[in-house]
Amino acid sequence: MTATMPDPTDEAAGVLDDEKLKAALGNRTRPDRPGPVAASLTFGWRAMLKIKHVPEQLFDVTMFPIMFTLLFTYLFGGALAGSPSEYIQLLAPGILVQTVVFITMYAGMGLNNDIKKGVFDRFRSMPIWRPAPMVGLLLGDAVRFVLASIVVLVLSLIIGFRPEGGPLGVIAGIALTIVFAFSISWIWTLLGLVMRTPEAVLNTAMTVLFPVIFASNIFVDPDTMPGWLQSVVDLNPITHLTTAVRGLMGTGAETSDLIWVFASSAVLIAIFAPLTMRRYSRL
Amino acid sequence: MAGAAIETKGLVKVFGENRAVDGVDLTVEPGTVFGLLGPNGAGKTTTIRMLATLLKIDGGSATVLGHDVTAEPDAVRGRVSMTGQYASVDEDLTGTENLVMLARLLGFDREGARARAAELLEAFGLSDAADRQIKNYSGGMRRRIDIAASIVIAPDLIFLDEPTTGLDPRSRNQVWNVVRALVADGTTVLLTTQYLDEADQLADRIAVIDHGRVIAEGTSSELKASVGAGALHVRVADPDQAAEAERMLTEALAVEVTRESDGISLSARADDPSRVAGALTELSGAGIEVTEFSLGQPSLDEVFLALTGHVAEGEDPEAGDLELEEVR
Ligand SMILES: Nc1ncnc2c1ncn2[C@@H]1O[C@H](COP(=O)(O)OP(=O)(O)O)[C@@H](O)[C@H]1O
Ligand SMILES: [Mg+2]
């Protein structure tokens, strides 16, 4: 900055320049509008920037799975599976499912926050493909899913996870988890559109996810549970997802579990994606 | 296209039982500034959001730049910009990142987007803050980046929703300069405000809106004529001179002067500011010491009182009693 009079206000950071303002307004460049993919990718880039500027949001994505894996393996491993190293073979795919499924809330919270803050109004008043801002949020989720999966996987490998399915099996397991996660995301995007605050979205999602996650076969063998709970666990899509991921990372998944996972994903999307989009277009 | 930039007929928006916008007719000529003046909750934001295709219209019709808002929302979106009342940029991102993102969304390539962002930041005096997150901007800087974000592609029409509410006078002046530059460039501006003097300074025509209805429409002088220019308040030092001062003011201003119950305060309608200066000179010439005087422009309250017979509800406390700048 050139030497100007010191100014007491922080507005001194800059003054309007009338000439430059005129020039900037006179610049009538009108490029062609981007297509749906380009617009969505730009919003995905925005999601990356937000992770860069607010890295705290990666805390849940990395620290929780680390804590859960270590705590469960060493506290309960001996009791539940004979030894920690035996338990981690069962637990690692389960923790992966649990972690990724919890992360699905971010898109809904982000959407709610954008609407509440007013940024969404700007996006919606622009001549762009309408779902693009939402797709961008989901792309942000995808990055978090992959990151969390890598954290869980690396930690599990360190403490003794030995997947028999090899790299391909592991990748298939992660991919299946992410497919299911994207179908759940639609529930939270709908909540994000309907609810008043991001905290409300978070609380509702937690209230739904906690029992669903724990009433599954992620942590313990359902055979030890009372009969009525076993039937609940059996109906829980998380159970089938976990079993399928264990299979893929191990000696192969049962077709029935895969069908369960794909069918429940399809049902979730068939119900919540149209509801979300309808609500979104009426915003 | 020769017609009006904005034309609404019987525009209606209902939230539950609340008729937030209740039959608004507006005509805004291209290249002009139109001010929508009203207190909190009058329906200004709701009106603007309908015109910017953000909110479904419940009744009546609206065309913007010749396009029906309901039938051709995309055509409208391509040519207008909206600067909302609240944040309209991403607070977590920096100034540059926000503008680059918007430029990319509008079709600029990477290089072009960077160049446009830099050009705008420079023009708005934000170059030094380019790499700071918006959440660390001051109120005035935020408003400027909001507006910069709206002209990444210079629009034919821009909506500014309460662009200066909560700003200090200096920042407010800067926003006013931007609005003037926009108009000079041929952009049509629809702005909402709670401040009579803002509408007065910027708008070619003003619609006063209350409870979702337009209660008066015209140029600023037409509106003021219906309300009266304002009030002169004078306080004399010596109670014994009050009667004499009252008589002299009555004569000089040619209006009725009232004496307050304290016996030393006088007030009168002041339709013609130039007469006020003369009247005060006469007082001091006659040896009457004046301890205090003020010339108030009619506040939004007074405008409302005059137009509706009731005081504006839920009004922003800042909006009251604005000094008439020109006299000072
Ligand atoms: N999304 C909404 N849902 C329900 N009521 C609303 C909504 N938006 C605005 N209102 C109501 O509509 C009326 C007009 O609001 P608004 O247009 O924001 O006024 P202004 O911008 O003039 O302050 C107010 O009574 C407000 O409470
Ligand atoms: Mg408003």
Side-chain angles (χ1 to χ4, degrees):
Chain A
M1 249 179 83
T2 48
T4 45
M5 284 250 299
D7 193 294
T9 72
D10 59 349
E11 303 297 315
V15 196
L16 281 176
D17 185 320
D18 275 341
E19 284 313 308
K20 287 183 182 144
L21 190 57
K22 272 190 200 121
L25 282 170
N27 181 344
R28 295 261 163 187
T29 317
R30 276 179 193 270
D32 290 336
R33 289 177 202 169
V37 176
S40 303
L41 287 177
T42 301
F43 283 109
W45 176 66
R46 167 177 181 247
M48 296 306 100
L49 288 174
K50 284 181 100 85
I51 293 178
K52 183 183 114 192
H53 285 297
V54 197
E56 302 90 275
Q57 59 176 295
L58 289 184
F59 188 81
D60 328 10
V61 174
T62 52
M63 293 315 285
F64 278 115
I66 291 175
M67 270 161 43
F68 266 97
T69 313
L70 292 176
L71 275 175
F72 274 80
T73 308
Y74 292 110
L75 275 179
F76 306 133
L80 293 173
S83 76
S85 64
E86 272 173 70
Y87 187 49
I88 189 68
Q89 312 306 326
L90 278 179
L91 185 66
I95 289 281
L96 176 82
V97 168
Q98 182 217 17
T99 303
V100 171
V101 166
F102 266 120
I103 296 173
T104 55
M105 304 182 294
Y106 278 93
M109 286 171 65
L111 182 60
N112 187 276
N113 205 38
D114 282 350
I115 294 170
K116 205 186 65 175
K117 287 267 173 74
V119 196
F120 229 60
D121 272 0
R122 168 159 326 266
F123 299 151
R124 288 176 61 242
S125 70
M126 289 170 76
I128 48 177
W129 186 56
R130 301 223 95 196
M134 237 155 54
V135 176
L137 289 167
L138 293 173
L139 287 175
D141 266 7
V143 169
R144 280 182 281 266
F145 294 160
V146 171
L147 209 73
S149 304
I150 291 172
V151 168
V152 171
L153 187 68
V154 169
L155 180 67
S156 304
L157 287 172
I158 291 173
I159 62 179
F161 178 50
R162 293 294 171 263
E164 291 173 52
L168 278 183
V170 168
I171 291 173
I174 291 176
L176 185 70
T177 310
I178 291 181
V179 166
F180 183 76
F182 271 123
S183 66
I184 296 197
S185 293
W186 289 102
I187 307 178
W188 317 134
T189 48
L190 179 63
L191 284 184
L193 290 170
V194 176
M195 302 198 96
R196 271 178 214 282
T197 65
E199 290 73 32
V201 178
L202 175 79
N203 291 337
T204 313
M206 282 290 195
T207 311
V208 174
L209 284 179
F210 251 99
V212 173
I213 293 281
F214 279 88
S216 76
N217 62 349
I218 288 184
F219 300 104
V220 284
D221 186 344
D223 285 348
T224 61
M225 301 174 188
W228 62 269
L229 189 53
Q230 281 189 32
S231 20
V232 172
V233 169
D234 245 8
L235 286 172
N236 187 347
I238 299 285
T239 300
H240 295 274
L241 175 62
T242 306
T243 310
V245 174
R246 280 176 185 148
L248 288 169
M249 294 188 172
T251 52
E254 302 272 338
T255 317
S256 63
D257 287 320
L258 290 175
I259 289 176
W260 248 103
V261 172
F262 284 119
S264 42
S265 297
V267 168
L268 283 171
I269 292 178
I271 296 173
F272 289 101
L275 283 176
T276 301
M277 290 320 292
R278 222 177 68 183
R279 180 78 196 190
Y280 176 72
S281 60
R282 286 214 189 135
L283 212 59
Chain B
M1 194 200 66
I6 300 176
E7 177 126 48
T8 75
K9 291 210 176 75
L11 201 60
V12 171
K13 182 74 202 178
V14 187
F15 293 116
E17 296 279 282
N18 179 5
R19 297 181 75 82
V21 173
D22 194 7
V24 164
D25 300 322
L26 295 175
T27 304
V28 179
E29 293 304 325
T32 65
V33 181
F34 193 92
L36 214 48
L37 174 68
N40 253 337
K44 304 183 295 296
T45 299
T46 306
T47 304
I48 273 199
R49 283 170 55 87
M50 282 192 280
L51 294 177
T53 75
L54 294 174
L55 208 56
K56 202 168 85 37
I57 291 175
D58 288 340
S61 68
T63 44
V64 171
L65 300 168
H67 300 286
D68 187 274
V69 173
T70 309
E72 306 169 89
D74 263 325
V76 175
R77 285 180 204 129
R79 296 182 57 198
V80 308
S81 259
M82 158 101 177
T83 305
Q85 185 171 355
Y86 305 103
S88 62
V89 291
D90 191 325
E91 299 190 342
D92 290 330
L93 270 46
T94 67
T96 300
E97 287 165 350
N98 266 294
L99 295 183
V100 168
M101 172 181 71
L102 295 171
R104 296 284 281 153
L105 289 173
L106 291 165
F108 283 83
D109 60 20
R110 211 175 294 253
E111 293 283 294
R114 294 222 144 257
R116 184 60 175 158
E119 182 182 23
L120 286 168
L121 288 165
E122 177 91 24
F124 281 83
L126 293 168
S127 294
D128 290 342
D131 296 325
R132 259 194 266 158
Q133 283 174 278
I134 304 296
K135 65 170 125 196
N136 299 323
Y137 278 28
S138 70
M141 292 160 73
R142 220 174 246 249
R143 235 32 209 151
R144 277 183 272 153
I145 191 91
D146 274 340
I147 299 178
S150 295
I151 60 176
V152 171
I153 285 185
D156 296 317
L157 188 152
I158 186 165
F159 297 106
L160 299 173
D161 196 3
E162 300 201 20
T164 67
T165 300
L167 293 191
D168 60 83
R170 184 191 145 125
S171 301
R172 175 185 289 202
N173 260 314
Q174 293 189 325
V175 171
W176 287 0
N177 283 341
V178 174
V179 174
R180 291 186 183 115
L182 282 165
V183 192
D185 194 61
T187 312
T188 308
V189 180
L190 176 63
L191 67 84
T192 74
T193 179
Q194 301 192 25
Y195 306 121
L196 184 60
D197 75 327
E198 178 158 287
D200 189 17
Q201 289 280 332
L202 297 176
D204 298 298
R205 291 187 77 80
I206 300 169
V208 183
I209 176 166
D210 183 35
H211 292 299
R213 288 168 195 256
V214 175
I215 53 174
E217 210 250 83
T219 64
S220 138
S221 11
E222 284 167 1
L223 282 182
K224 280 196 185 156
S226 69
V227 180
L232 173 70
H233 300 279
V234 173
R235 185 176 295 173
V236 296
D238 183 355
D240 295 337
Q241 293 180 322
E244 176 66 2
E246 185 177 345
R247 191 191 59 75
M248 288 176 71
L249 285 177
T250 311
E251 206 163 278
L253 298 172
V255 292
E256 191 184 328
V257 175
T258 50
R259 184 148 25 138
E260 311 291 335
S261 51
D262 64 3
I264 52 168
S265 298
L266 305 168
S267 48
R269 262 179 58 148
D271 291 321
D272 180 358
S274 63
R275 282 192 174 191
V276 171
L280 291 171
T281 316
E282 277 183 38
L283 287 185
S284 75
I288 299 174
E289 195 192 335
V290 172
T291 54
E292 231 182 272
F293 79 90
S294 67
L295 187 58
Q297 195 180 16
S299 65
L300 189 57
D301 262 335
E302 285 165 293
V303 174
F304 266 80
L305 202 55
L307 291 172
T308 65
H310 72 85
V311 176
E313 295 151 27
E315 193 203 337
D316 192 319
E318 287 169 295
D321 244 359
L322 295 155
E323 301 290 325
L324 196 65
E325 304 275 351
E326 303 98 279
V327 226
R328 285 197 263 127

